[in-house]
Amino acid sequence: MSAPDETIALAARCTMATYERLPLVAERGEGAYIWDVGGKRYLDFTSGISVCNVGHRHPDVVAAIKGQLGKLIHSSNLIYNRPAAELAARLSEVSLGGKVFLCNSGAEANEGAIKLARKRAFMERGERSAQGSIVVCEGAFHGRTLGALSATPQVEKQRPFEPLVPGFAVAKRNDVESLRSLCDDATIAIMLEPVQGESGVNILSQEFIAEARLLADRHRATLIFDEVQCGLGRTGTLWAYQQTDVVPDLVTVAKSLAGGLPAGAVIARPELSGTLELGDHGSTFGGGALVAAAALAVLDAIDEEMLAQVDELGQMLGAGLTEIVEAGKAIEARGRGLIWALDLAGSTSAREVVRCALGEGILLSATSESTLRFLPPFVIGSEEVQSVLDFLKNNPIMD
Ligand SMILES: *Cc1c(COP(=O)(O)O)cnc(C)c1O
């Protein structure tokens, strides 16, 4: 075993420095906890950024992976495999009822959705008018590949990589007028995160989401919900859209889909199931047997009981964070289920709070210099929620 400092130095020497990392070298994970190479235990209130929703190494996910590992890891999309076929069927059944494209990440799922929306416009409107716009929302995060980055209206992320993919327009968050003013018959898609994760847990209003549905219908545009972070039980229902009156045309999913293995999917309504045709799209790793077997076990694990747990503990976490706001130690708490953010007061630095929490054995994340984000795995208990609230309430870093 090597010292953590050696690992950090090796990574710094040989890995492109694209991430701001905490000085923790993870060695083992189980349930809601991670252990470092020195054996110190950390409560993981990030779930690996909403990837380990059912906890680290959920026993059923581990068993499914081990079982599949004894048979087949990968076989290509030149032929079929049973777990991938079942995964597509299951994803369809629990959401929009149409067909599914299996891929490997959130950005890739969003690229697939954008291509599908463009292909639909191309088929319905002819070549020229398919050049129309895709309306996205202020504060959105859809990924880092060029198409997904172009859909992510954050200047500091976009600027160095121009020219971007053209055709994206940005509506002001929860501003129905703004959304309306950007949509016309040239609009081919509206793409939204029902609950924006990376911008600090900003929940889109019912009114805004309902208007998006209305406008998409009026202009025959495709309504895409990016549920990469807020889906798969994170908000207390399997999909965030189930807490709205709206059903989208496409849902994109990734992050926790395969319990820590890379997986993503585009799920369509039946009407859009045939839009992508032979040769239109592909992904070498998409629908690999090992990943699909893991994903089936994850979907099994997120049952009614687990969703009720998300709801109940989410209310406890939300109530506790609201108390911190009422005590004047923070400005606002936002969230639902087990996705929450806390805007800190005055000069308190979210990054410093994260570092301090790490010292106390709690792994948190910050979405900006002033906002903490809470994404615990669904297998935490009330003691774990309480320990994080106690840290925030009692540690002098929050004063
Ligand atoms: C993380 C995230 C993505 C990008 O997913 P990757 O797997 O990193 O490509 C896209 N959309 C949302 C809402 C996300 O949270």
Side-chain angles (χ1 to χ4, degrees), residues 102-122:
L102 295 174
C103 56
N104 311 285
S105 71
E108 198 187 352
N110 288 329
E111 296 286 342
I114 291 167
K115 279 183 71 176
L116 195 156
R118 282 191 170 190
K119 177 79 192 299
R120 175 189 178 192
F122 176 86

Side-chain angles (χ1 to χ4, degrees), residues 49-50 104-110 140-145 148 152 193 195-198 226-230 252 254-255 263 373:
I49 318 189
S50 208
N104 311 285
S105 71
E108 198 187 352
N110 288 329
F141 181 83
H142 296 299
R144 303 288 197 155
T145 53
T152 297
E193 287 167 87
V195 177
Q196 294 184 338
E198 295 304 300
D226 175 346
E227 295 227 12
V228 168
Q229 186 161 157
C230 63
T252 58
K255 286 203 163 85
R373 177 177 45 177

Side-chain angles (χ1 to χ4, degrees), residues 132-147:
S133 68
I134 296 180
V135 178
V136 296
C137 182
E138 170 195 13
F141 181 83
H142 296 299
R144 303 288 197 155
T145 53
L146 266 177

